Amino acid sequence: MLTPTRLIQLLIMLSLLIGLFVWRTLSFESSEQSSSEQSNQVSKTDQLVCQLSKPCVLESASGRFILTVEEGEVVPDQPFNISLTSELKNWTVSDAKMVSEKGFEGKISVTLVPVESINHSITYQAQTMVGACSEKNASITLQITLLIDDKTVPIEYTFLVAN
């Protein structure tokens, strides 16, 4: 039988459950926002997400670097050509590799070699590729270690590869 005391207990429990549901929903959304904001912040390196159909410009504290994919898209297991350009005078590429976000494709070493400078800018070029992934869209990062005036500077370009 539903007595007034039991009715009050049920209403209190119902309000408590609704309050917890609302609190959990709001706290989940705010934690999701803060984690996406943290992932957009750069901690150790300068990083940029690129659309490969046009040159990808990275403005960093160390200088301006432009990555170009000649083919305009990246197809898994197919070679493509990249160029890295900067108007800085004293910089070299000491290391470069393609790394998958999930790590399934492994790391692919990239050998960027200098070519003749045009308009007082230095350009490095390479032919590279990315491995196939089981996911529909894979996030691939080109990690480059630069030497600028004898100082090591890491930069990253991230892009999506459709499988």
Side-chain angles (χ1 to χ4, degrees):
M1 177 173 241
L2 189 61
T3 64
T5 307
R6 293 229 172 173
L7 180 62
I8 292 172
Q9 285 178 337
L10 285 173
L11 289 175
I12 290 172
M13 288 304 293
L14 181 62
S15 356
L16 181 66
L17 288 173
I18 290 173
L20 287 173
F21 176 77
V22 169
W23 172 78
R24 179 65 181 130
T25 302
L26 294 176
S27 68
F28 179 75
E29 287 175 359
S30 68
S31 70
E32 203 173 66
Q33 278 182 332
S34 68
S35 68
S36 69
E37 287 171 4
Q38 287 176 352
S39 67
N40 288 337
Q41 293 176 352
V42 178
S43 56
K44 291 191 246 179
T45 61
D46 292 321
Q47 182 178 12
L48 182 66
V49 177
C50 300
Q51 293 181 353
L52 299 177
S53 58
K54 56 186 176 184
C56 194
V57 179
L58 175 70
E59 298 281 350
S60 75
S62 304
R64 181 177 190 211
F65 298 92
I66 303 169
L67 179 75
T68 306
V69 174
E70 291 179 19
E71 290 76 9
E73 69 176 350
V74 174
V75 178
D77 294 328
Q78 297 293 318
F80 59 94
N81 297 304
I82 60 172
S83 297
L84 182 67
T85 305
S86 179
E87 293 179 356
L88 293 175
K89 301 288 183 217
N90 297 323
W91 71 283
T92 58
V93 175
S94 66
D95 185 43
K97 60 186 166 249
M98 293 283 190
V99 180
S100 168
E101 182 180 282
K102 299 286 183 185
F104 296 122
E105 299 86 28
K107 296 177 182 176
I108 299 174
S109 182
V110 178
T111 305
L112 285 157
V113 293
V115 294
E116 281 189 37
S117 62
I118 302 169
N119 300 332
H120 304 291
S121 64
I122 298 174
T123 300
Y124 282 79
Q125 292 182 335
Q127 185 177 59
T128 189
M129 64 187 320
V130 296
C133 181
S134 59
E135 295 185 19
K136 187 174 182 179
N137 290 313
S139 177
I140 306 293
T141 301
L142 174 59
Q143 298 175 344
I144 304 171
T145 304
L146 304 172
L147 288 174
I148 302 174
D149 295 324
D150 295 326
K151 187 172 111 180
T152 302
V153 178
I155 61 173
E156 293 182 351
Y157 291 92
T158 301
F159 47 93
L160 294 176
V161 177
N163 285 316

